[in-house]
Amino acid sequence: MSKSPVQPVLDRRTLLRLAGAAALGGVPLAAKASGPGPVATKARIVIAGGGAAGLAVAARLSRLVTGATITVVDRRKEHFYQPGFTLVAAGLKPAGYVVSSTAEYIPAGVTLVEERVAEFDPEGNKVVTESGQALPYDFLVVATGLQLDYAAIEGMDTALIGRDGIGSVYAGPEAAEATWREMSRFADTGGVGLFLRPNTEMKCAGAPLKYTFITDDYLRRRGNRAKAELVYAANNKSLFSVPIVSEKVRMLFQDRGVKVAYDHVMTAIDPGRKVATFKTPDGPAEIKYDFVNVIPPMRAPEAVRNSPLGWRQGPWAADGWMEVDKATLRHMRYPNVFGVGDVAGVPKGKTAASVKWQVPVAVDHLVASLAGQTATSVYNGYTSCPLITRLGRAMLVEFDYQNNLTPSFPGVIAPLEELWITWVMKTMALKPTYIAMLRGQA
Amino acid sequence: MKDLDPLVFYVVFSEMLGPLLWVLALLAVGGLIAFAAVLRCDGGLVSKRLVRSELIGILGGFAALALMAWVTLSGFSDAGGPVDWLLIGVIWGIGLVGTTILAYTAQGLWDRYHGKACARAD
């Protein structure tokens, strides 16, 4: 991943702006000192996005403040458990395994507006929905997630997923299931299996690797590995942003006979000829495929990209990721705005695990602001990836902003070992932990 | 997984098992109480019954492993390191001990139900 730009902590000017914004919005900054018990406030808090991050923020906030008007804005009625998409695309779980409803996680007292945010106006302290409804706020939490930009790949359309060897695990539950059907057919026939990742920030950068390993395993189980060639097209010169993990994956790919094409960024697909085109340092290169797991470029949603909330310079400016302090998730220029989850322009982690550790920090700082105090909690970039290396085994990779491995069970569960216990955690414990997070219980 | 809080464990298990968590907890507590009652009645362990229960317990250990494999979509060749074998041992052990206690208790209660007096433990 890209290196981190310099991100100062909250300075005096920012604090003054925060105080100003709060005063203009009529927020009783020192309504009640934060400490035991919820903070009493009349603040209007808008949460843009009702995915994992938005719901977790809503749940946590509703426990820590009283009297506030909390509004979640999200058009999608369904909630997707995205860490389960890989299991669906591996034929291990049905599409229904990852689908529930947003409404069932909305805490009591929190309002859900089932609309898309069309405009962010941080100068005017309001968001505007697609129907033109203006929602003024004293504090805004942006948790809109990201946009899968399939249109950026010439010839690609989500309607192609599940046909003629084209899969794409990320596009949704049905797409994940359709991807499984195509991959399973490929595991029966063999040919060239093509895997890749985009040259942008992306959610769960381990997922493309996992799916390569899973496909390899299915080919072996069906006795067709010799009939197949697996190619992984890496967007740069590494396989994972954490060097020690990248090296481990390189060794595993070598062991499994997966060929790696470095510096290959997919630009086009020709479904008729079954050829994918890549941008490489030596010019365009074509790779024929019999099965391909297309992963599109990922960007901040359009409304965020068109707003003043994104980075104005540096590696995250082009795709509109939010300019937030990587330690507090507070916006660098609008101190009453926070960005959590995929949309945050921070060096690591667009995963549910990131959300789990970002949300308490962002909420802590928000609640402290409501109480007229300053929070000290810090998000160190922790994220985790149960990197499946075959059906039944995974590596529990946990790391932080500095590419340190941060194992939860040092000496017991080795982070770079392919273990059944990690697979057990992935299949049994992860979804309940995730749901508990949405409910603000974990 | 940065901080391991017992309450989080409870919440996760509750989310994982739903009402079954309480059924299992009640089964465990009820089984132990009934086991204690049978022990008290007999004045100790009845060897013959214990051996029979242990044999059933061995099968119970394997049943626990089979259940775990089913729930986690796993096969029998997935263990990859020492901690996996430890986990397999723990699961098998829990199945063994749980099934042994339940089998012993069930036999004791069966005897009472059929009007047999408390056995005299030797």
Side-chain angles (χ1 to χ4, degrees):
Chain A
M1 260 182 221
S2 332
K3 65 181 179 202
S4 158
V6 177
Q7 292 179 327
V9 292
L10 212 59
D11 58 17
R12 191 174 59 180
R13 181 166 160 265
T14 309
L15 272 172
L16 286 172
R17 287 192 66 174
L18 169 64
L24 286 172
V27 184
L29 275 179
K32 183 184 164 188
S34 88
V39 172
T41 174
K42 297 283 184 208
R44 297 159 300 175
I45 304 170
V46 170
I47 301 167
L55 291 172
V57 167
R60 206 167 176 89
L61 264 181
S62 65
R63 286 165 176 239
L64 295 175
V65 299
T66 178
T69 306
I70 304 174
T71 308
V72 175
V73 192
D74 198 316
R75 178 171 58 180
R76 198 171 66 199
K77 291 181 165 56
E78 291 169 311
H79 179 84
F80 296 152
Y81 167 60
Q82 295 184 62
F85 282 12
T86 302
L87 296 179
V88 175
L92 300 171
K93 297 282 187 187
Y97 172 70
V98 295
V99 182
S100 54
S101 73
T102 303
E104 69 190 83
Y105 306 114
I106 296 290
V110 173
T111 306
L112 173 63
V113 175
E114 289 185 334
E115 286 195 66
R116 187 177 64 86
V117 173
E119 184 192 341
F120 290 93
D121 178 5
E123 300 289 345
N125 289 314
K126 68 174 191 293
V127 299
V128 182
T129 67
E130 57 193 338
S131 72
Q133 185 185 358
L135 297 168
Y137 62 77
D138 300 304
F139 285 90
L140 170 68
V141 180
V142 182
T144 50
L146 53 69
Q147 183 187 330
L148 300 170
D149 193 0
Y150 282 99
I153 299 173
E154 190 187 330
M156 181 61 195
D157 189 317
T158 49
L160 295 170
I161 298 168
R163 287 161 42 189
D164 298 328
I166 296 179
S168 185
V169 177
Y170 282 88
E174 286 76 26
E177 208 164 57
T179 301
W180 158 240
R181 287 194 296 272
E182 283 304 295
M183 191 267 265
S184 179
R185 182 197 52 70
F186 170 71
D188 285 334
T189 59
V192 177
L194 179 57
F195 304 85
L196 55 110
R197 60 151 289 168
N199 194 31
T200 59
E201 298 294 315
M202 65 178 295
K203 57 173 81 207
C204 189
L209 304 169
K210 291 177 203 177
Y211 208 59
T212 312
F213 284 120
I214 290 169
T215 305
D216 169 77
D217 198 13
Y218 269 113
L219 282 162
R220 288 173 197 277
R221 284 166 191 251
R222 296 185 188 177
N224 293 327
R225 185 62 183 88
K227 287 198 260 174
E229 179 185 353
L230 298 185
V231 179
Y232 185 86
N235 66 312
N236 53 25
K237 290 181 170 53
S238 78
L239 294 166
F240 200 78
S241 69
V242 182
I244 195 169
V245 179
S246 178
E247 187 56 15
K248 176 69 184 183
V249 173
R250 186 198 63 75
M251 288 191 272
L252 289 172
F253 272 178
Q254 186 173 313
D255 176 62
R256 309 288 157 82
V258 176
K259 294 176 181 168
V260 180
Y262 291 103
D263 284 321
H264 274 53
V265 179
M266 189 179 184
T267 55
I269 187 165
D270 184 339
R273 292 169 55 224
K274 291 194 167 182
V275 167
T277 306
F278 292 83
K279 186 179 81 179
T280 78
D282 303 321
E286 290 190 340
I287 300 179
K288 268 189 77 64
Y289 64 81
D290 295 286
F291 171 75
V292 60
N293 181 28
V294 177
I295 304 180
M298 303 186 193
R299 315 189 195 290
E302 195 180 354
V304 177
R305 286 206 312 275
N306 294 338
S307 79
L309 294 174
W311 281 94
R312 293 178 295 185
Q313 57 185 7
W316 301 309
D319 293 324
W321 306 111
M322 273 183 75
E323 187 179 351
V324 295
D325 181 279
K326 67 177 183 179
T328 65
L329 289 314
R330 189 191 287 272
H331 201 279
M332 302 286 276
R333 286 172 280 119
Y334 302 102
N336 61 335
V337 177
F338 290 81
V340 288
D342 291 351
V343 76
V346 294
K348 285 267 186 293
K350 299 195 184 301
T351 71
S354 307
V355 167
K356 181 167 169 17
W357 301 107
Q358 285 176 358
V359 165
V361 173
V363 170
D364 190 28
H365 284 265
L366 197 162
V367 172
S369 296
L370 288 169
Q373 298 175 346
T374 306
T376 55
S377 54
V378 162
Y379 172 62
N380 69 355
Y382 171 90
T383 191
S384 81
C385 170
L387 183 46
I388 297 168
T389 54
R390 47 165 272 190
L391 299 174
R393 281 191 200 164
M395 300 189 297
L396 185 57
V397 179
E398 299 167 277
F399 51 95
D400 63 15
Y401 281 143
Q402 296 178 297
N403 292 334
N404 293 315
L405 292 179
T406 53
S408 293
F409 310 97
V412 181
I413 301 181
L416 299 178
E417 284 289 328
E418 299 176 77
L419 296 171
W420 177 59
I421 194 169
T422 308
W423 172 266
V424 168
M425 288 161 78
K426 167 83 182 167
T427 51
M428 262 184 93
L430 220 58
K431 189 178 174 189
T433 308
Y434 175 92
I435 300 292
M437 174 188 81
L438 296 189
R439 298 192 196 282
Q441 296 166 325
Chain B
M1 274 176 277
K2 279 200 307 186
D3 304 317
L4 296 175
D5 181 345
L7 189 65
V8 171
F9 270 101
Y10 161 71
V11 168
V12 169
F13 273 95
S14 177
E15 201 65 59
M16 200 186 296
L17 298 168
L20 188 60
L21 177 64
W22 294 106
V23 172
L24 288 175
L26 282 175
L27 189 67
V29 173
L32 284 173
I33 291 171
F35 179 62
V38 169
L39 275 185
R40 188 155 178 251
C41 174
D42 295 337
L45 286 166
V46 179
S47 307
K48 201 171 158 188
R49 197 189 291 158
L50 180 63
V51 170
R52 216 159 36 213
S53 304
E54 284 171 339
L55 288 173
I56 298 169
I58 291 170
L59 296 177
F62 287 112
L65 282 177
L67 178 69
M68 191 69 177
W70 179 66
V71 170
T72 61
L73 314 161
S74 303
F76 295 105
S77 58
D78 291 336
V83 67
D84 290 342
W85 292 106
L86 184 69
L87 181 63
I88 287 168
V90 167
I91 294 165
W92 187 78
I94 290 171
L96 168 81
V97 172
T99 311
T100 301
I101 291 174
L102 284 177
Y104 186 94
T105 308
Q107 289 173 72
L109 294 175
W110 177 267
D111 287 350
R112 289 304 92 67
Y113 183 74
H114 286 85
K116 289 188 187 171
C118 294
R120 283 181 63 85
D122 302 317

